[in-house]
Amino acid sequence: MKIRTIVTWFTLFFVSLTIAVSCTPATDVSTSESPSPAVQMGFSAWPGWLPWQIAEEEQLFAANDVKVDLKWFDGYLDSINALAAGQLDANTQTLNDTISSVAAGSDQVIVLVNDNSTGNDKIIVREGINAIEDLPGKTVAVEAGTVDHFLLLLGLEKAGLSPDDVEIKPLETGAASAAFVAGQVDAVGVFAPFTTKALERPGSKELFSSKDFPGAIPDHLVVSRQMLEERPEAVQALVNTWFDTLDFMNKNSDKSLPILAKRAGVTVDEYKDYDAGTTIFSIEENLAAFEPGDDMTSLPYAAEEISTFLVENGLIEQAPDLDQLLDDRFVKAYAEKQKT
């Protein structure tokens, strides 16, 4: 009865509106429609996220009918904070950092897997440190709460050590790399392209990397719950743009590499070195990643494992509700579209 009442009301409303419109002069309806606001989207210096720069420069967002204000963040943590504060609609983030934000009260959703880190997150050490067992008592610079902090803890745990066995010096990733090169700390946790800078220190070397922990560091496009609910068509356009960008890169590598290298602040040859350390996910790999599983290649499984790990290591107070963290309908929609 309630539904029928609403339908009847709307019917009367539109009949009245039609009569009113027919009695008034015609106007240009295009002037009365407000254009959709630009999506405020953040990204930062990680090889798996830099393709968004290509999307902007090659007007691939526009080709998918979405207006995007793409914002570059020199500090990755600043982009995380901006999304959590409602200053962004979307951002590029790791799984563990997104879980940390959700645990702190931010309502965020992962809609796309950009890549998995397969070596581009590294713990780099000075000369004289040859094994994880040499780290106790040493000072390690790392951006607190970020993925490389997580990687450091994974390495310590694997060796039977605890965070208390090392002195962690919390610094923004760029500053951490600089402090290591300057000899102010014994080790550093950084991601590419900051790894290139850190390895400029004479005698420095990689101790371990994300390659040693497969699936532990996936990277994503994350949107706010508000964006998801109010503008799902824009979220779909972002996902479509991503795969269009990958297609463009595959067909135009000579044009793409200089854009990626410039945005990363490295040479083209240096950027090529990052290729093996970042595994960009295809649509098929995206679909598989969102499926339930029993190892870290499954996002639902990885989210539970990382959430537990973050709690046990004091990085979050309690595990958040993960039931609505992942939404694969946009990658599924893209995949279905490719079949037609």
Side-chain angles (χ1 to χ4, degrees):
M1 180 63 71
K2 184 175 181 182
I3 293 175
R4 287 176 57 84
T5 302
I6 291 174
V7 171
T8 302
W9 186 89
F10 271 110
T11 301
L12 291 173
F13 172 78
F14 282 113
V15 169
S16 301
L17 181 62
T18 302
I19 295 172
V21 169
S22 67
C23 298
T24 57
T27 59
D28 182 2
V29 294
S30 65
T31 60
S32 63
E33 295 179 0
S34 300
S36 298
V39 176
Q40 303 297 309
M41 178 177 163
F43 76 131
S44 50
W46 170 251
W49 297 328
L50 294 177
W52 290 115
Q53 185 69 33
I54 293 175
E56 181 177 67
E57 294 192 19
E58 295 300 321
Q59 300 182 357
L60 299 179
F61 290 119
N64 281 284
D65 297 321
V66 63
K67 185 177 180 181
V68 175
D69 184 1
L70 191 63
K71 299 178 180 293
W72 173 259
F73 286 83
D74 288 320
Y76 166 54
L77 192 57
D78 291 336
S79 73
I80 295 174
N81 293 336
L83 180 62
Q87 297 167 356
L88 295 174
D89 301 307
N91 191 42
T92 52
Q93 300 179 179
T94 65
L95 177 57
N96 73 303
D97 294 326
T98 303
I99 291 173
S100 295
S101 292
V102 172
S106 183
D107 203 352
Q108 304 178 5
V109 187
I110 292 171
V111 297
L112 171 72
V113 184
N114 298 115
D115 67 275
N116 263 199
S117 177
T118 49
N120 275 339
D121 288 277
K122 303 179 187 294
I123 303 301
I124 297 171
V125 295
R126 64 166 172 77
E127 188 175 12
I129 299 176
N130 301 306
I132 299 176
E133 289 76 12
D134 296 331
L135 286 178
K138 305 299 191 298
T139 301
V140 184
V142 67
E143 190 163 354
T146 63
V147 65
D148 294 297
H149 187 186
F150 176 58
L151 177 63
L152 172 65
L153 297 181
L154 284 176
L156 291 173
E157 181 182 58
K158 185 177 180 180
L161 301 173
S162 78
D164 294 333
D165 289 318
V166 299
E167 181 182 344
I168 294 177
K169 186 170 185 177
L171 291 173
E172 182 274 327
T173 301
S177 179
F180 177 72
V181 173
Q184 298 170 2
V185 295
D186 301 301
V188 65
V190 287
F191 55 86
F194 299 102
T195 48
T196 300
K197 176 66 177 178
L199 288 167
E200 291 177 0
R201 178 171 172 172
S204 64
K205 58 183 175 294
E206 174 188 319
L207 186 62
F208 61 90
S209 76
S210 51
K211 184 178 181 179
D212 300 303
F213 299 92
I217 306 178
D219 304 297
H220 308 281
L221 173 64
V222 182
V223 301
S224 68
R225 178 76 57 190
Q226 182 177 0
M227 172 78 170
L228 187 83
E229 294 178 349
E230 295 181 1
R231 301 183 63 190
E233 76 289 344
V235 177
Q236 186 67 64
L238 293 179
V239 171
N240 295 350
T241 298
W242 175 256
F243 290 111
D244 286 353
T245 302
L246 299 187
D247 185 55
F248 178 89
M249 290 169 61
N250 287 334
K251 296 176 180 177
N252 302 275
S253 60
D254 290 346
K255 190 173 184 179
S256 300
L257 278 171
I259 296 174
L260 297 169
K262 182 179 179 181
R263 181 68 277 184
V266 298
T267 67
V268 169
D269 286 340
E270 286 174 331
Y271 194 87
K272 288 179 179 178
D273 290 339
Y274 303 148
D275 186 56
T278 305
T279 301
I280 301 292
F281 269 35
S282 65
I283 182 61
E284 292 79 14
E285 288 168 322
N286 260 271
L287 294 171
F290 278 101
E291 289 296 317
D294 57 6
D295 62 33
M296 292 295 282
T297 62
S298 162
L299 283 178
Y301 179 91
E304 292 288 351
E305 290 294 301
I306 291 173
S307 180
T308 299
F309 187 89
L310 293 172
V311 172
E312 290 178 349
N313 286 277
L315 297 176
I316 59 176
E317 290 186 6
Q318 60 181 22
D321 181 1
L322 301 175
D323 288 342
Q324 298 186 67
L325 178 68
L326 307 172
D327 193 330
D328 64 353
R329 61 179 144 155
F330 302 100
V331 294
K332 284 183 174 178
Y334 178 84
E336 284 299 315
K337 185 179 178 182
Q338 302 315 297
K339 295 178 181 179
T340 60

